[in-house]
Amino acid sequence: MALPDLDTSVGHSFGLEVDGITIKQISEVTGLKMEQDVIELKQNMADGKYVVKKLPGRMKAGEVVFTRGLTADNSFEKWVKDSRFGKMGAARKNGVVVVYDYEGQAIKRYKIMRAWPKALEIGTLKAGDTSVLTEKLTVTYEEMDVE
């Protein structure tokens, strides 16, 4: 069921799809951004007036960070190893960040193209601590689009 008009979504449920595999255990996604350069065109008009026009330029690449609780799933580590050893043919992947509504239906899909992992960070390991261990995967992408 789609959201009613003028209702907004609550960002409590989302996942990542890469190579047909859906990872729903992600707890945080940051950095999803579509951005492009701005070109300034400076010119004099026929009446001698100086004006500056702003025009759209090239799309910029971006980075997104996925955070999830540490599990036995090694899909993040495998992806990082592929890029670390120069297997960029296998490392560059297209993926989709999917936002789900309260009934579990996809309401928005953000496609990241030619993405590869830049960094994998494991949360702080502290003896006697009872907080959840996390892993953060930083992924760089060349293009983003909304499906």
Side-chain angles (χ1 to χ4, degrees), residues 1-17:
M1 177 175 150
L3 289 171
D5 290 343
L6 304 177
D7 271 1
T8 58
S9 178
V10 177
H12 68 85
S13 184
F14 42 88
L16 171 66
E17 295 176 0

Side-chain angles (χ1 to χ4, degrees), residues 78-144:
K78 183 180 179 320
W79 196 12
V80 169
K81 283 181 184 177
D82 284 345
S83 67
R84 187 174 65 189
F85 293 122
K87 299 178 185 174
M88 294 311 289
R92 282 188 203 275
K93 299 181 184 296
N94 294 334
V96 180
V97 177
V98 184
V99 179
Y100 301 99
D101 67 9
Y102 60 95
E103 293 178 335
Q105 302 298 316
I107 57 171
K108 202 76 147 182
R109 298 172 57 88
Y110 300 95
K111 185 173 183 182
I112 54 176
M113 277 100 38
R114 295 174 301 285
W116 55 274
K118 173 184 160 184
L120 179 63
E121 177 185 344
I122 307 304
T124 304
L125 302 173
K126 188 174 179 182
D129 195 7
T130 58
S131 60
V132 175
L133 289 176
T134 60
E135 57 183 348
K136 290 184 180 186
L137 181 69
T138 303
V139 174
T140 184
Y141 57 89
E142 294 178 9
E143 187 178 345
M144 188 184 113

Side-chain angles (χ1 to χ4, degrees), residues 22-27 67-78 120-123 125 132-136:
T22 302
I23 304 169
K24 288 191 176 181
Q25 299 87 357
I26 295 174
S27 59
T67 304
R68 71 174 181 176
L70 190 64
T71 66
D73 178 23
N74 66 351
S75 55
F76 281 1
E77 291 90 348
K78 183 180 179 320
L120 179 63
E121 177 185 344
I122 307 304
L125 302 173
V132 175
L133 289 176
T134 60
E135 57 183 348
K136 290 184 180 186

